Amino acid sequence: MKRRFQTVAVALAFGFALSGCGNDSGQSSGSGSAGTTKSTESTKGSKLNMQEAAERSDSMLDAVLKAIDPEVQWAHGPTTTGSCDVTRRRTVMTIVSAERRQSFLDQVEKFWRKSDYRIKAKNNDEEFPAIYAQTKAGFGISVSFRGRGQAFFEADSPCVKESKVAESASKPNGPAYEGVYPLPRPNVRSDYWSAEAS
């Protein structure tokens, strides 16, 4: 049953990414976050190259993780590139209990709305909830809970100029797990985020 819910969540994310494909969307079908829709705003991304887009994605991820209170520990997930887009990922290493997931998502959504991101879709599944948002410049960003309640953030660019992409300069606030894949399951306890119903 858990596997079926996870498959549905992944399928939903993939479907949203596909829905953004089009001449002006600049969205790769392999992004994993909410896709862009046909919009003149998303063509702004074409002024950037892939490295600049990756840096902008990093700043978006840095900002939302800093907005979460109390702080959660995170590590870099893999960076992937398409023919003209790039996706940065962050994996939350703090244990977020089932009882705290909605509070976590509420903080993220509030921050994205305050940042003038458009909430494109929400998955309200109890076990694998997710939120998908988009910036005015056509960048997609998402947060999703997956196996063992681990939270994952992804930020993906619209179509931009091809270039090499360096590793992220953002420093994790815990172990970097360099060369470790897949990353461990969440293993950091928080008095708040890891709390369970008594």
Side-chain angles (χ1 to χ4, degrees):
M1 186 66 80
K2 288 183 181 179
R3 188 178 209 81
R4 190 183 338 162
F5 280 130
Q6 194 167 16
T7 302
V8 169
V10 171
L12 281 171
F14 187 69
F16 286 125
L18 284 177
S19 68
C21 293
N23 292 337
D24 297 329
S25 73
Q27 185 67 35
S28 156
S29 62
S31 64
S33 289
T36 59
T37 54
K38 192 170 182 179
S39 164
T40 54
E41 289 179 329
S42 64
T43 60
K44 292 177 184 177
S46 63
K47 296 178 182 177
L48 304 174
N49 63 33
M50 292 170 79
Q51 175 61 35
E52 291 166 333
E55 290 169 2
R56 183 174 295 187
S57 294
D58 282 333
S59 68
M60 291 165 57
L61 293 167
D62 288 342
V64 68
L65 283 160
K66 285 178 184 173
I68 296 170
D69 184 33
E71 181 183 56
V72 293
Q73 193 175 110
W74 61 270
H76 285 291
T79 294
T80 54
T81 57
S83 58
C84 67
D85 65 334
V86 59
T87 299
R88 291 287 209 201
R89 295 175 175 85
R90 306 277 174 91
T91 302
V92 175
M93 303 309 297
T94 299
I95 299 164
V96 181
S97 67
E99 291 80 2
R100 297 296 192 195
R101 284 177 203 162
Q102 191 56 55
S103 176
F104 185 94
L105 292 171
D106 288 345
Q107 284 194 28
V108 170
E109 182 176 354
K110 181 179 179 181
F111 176 76
W112 285 345
R113 288 187 185 277
K114 184 179 175 183
S115 303
D116 207 22
Y117 295 2
R118 183 161 66 97
I119 304 302
K120 301 254 316 174
K122 293 165 76 171
N123 178 352
N124 294 318
D125 182 84
E126 279 190 27
E127 194 168 3
F128 302 113
I131 302 174
Y132 304 90
Q134 183 183 3
T135 73
K136 288 184 176 180
F139 283 73
I141 190 165
S142 69
V143 59
S144 59
F145 279 92
R146 302 179 198 164
R148 297 193 188 174
Q150 192 159 32
F152 295 84
F153 286 88
E154 295 185 7
D156 58 314
S157 76
C159 192
V160 293
K161 295 175 184 175
E162 186 177 3
S163 72
K164 292 184 178 180
V165 178
E167 292 299 318
S168 175
S170 298
K171 301 295 182 188
N173 59 354
Y177 295 105
E178 289 182 20
V180 176
Y181 187 81
L183 290 175
R185 293 299 191 179
N187 54 25
V188 178
R189 292 203 65 81
S190 159
D191 289 342
Y192 179 77
W193 292 117
S194 309
E196 299 179 359
S198 54

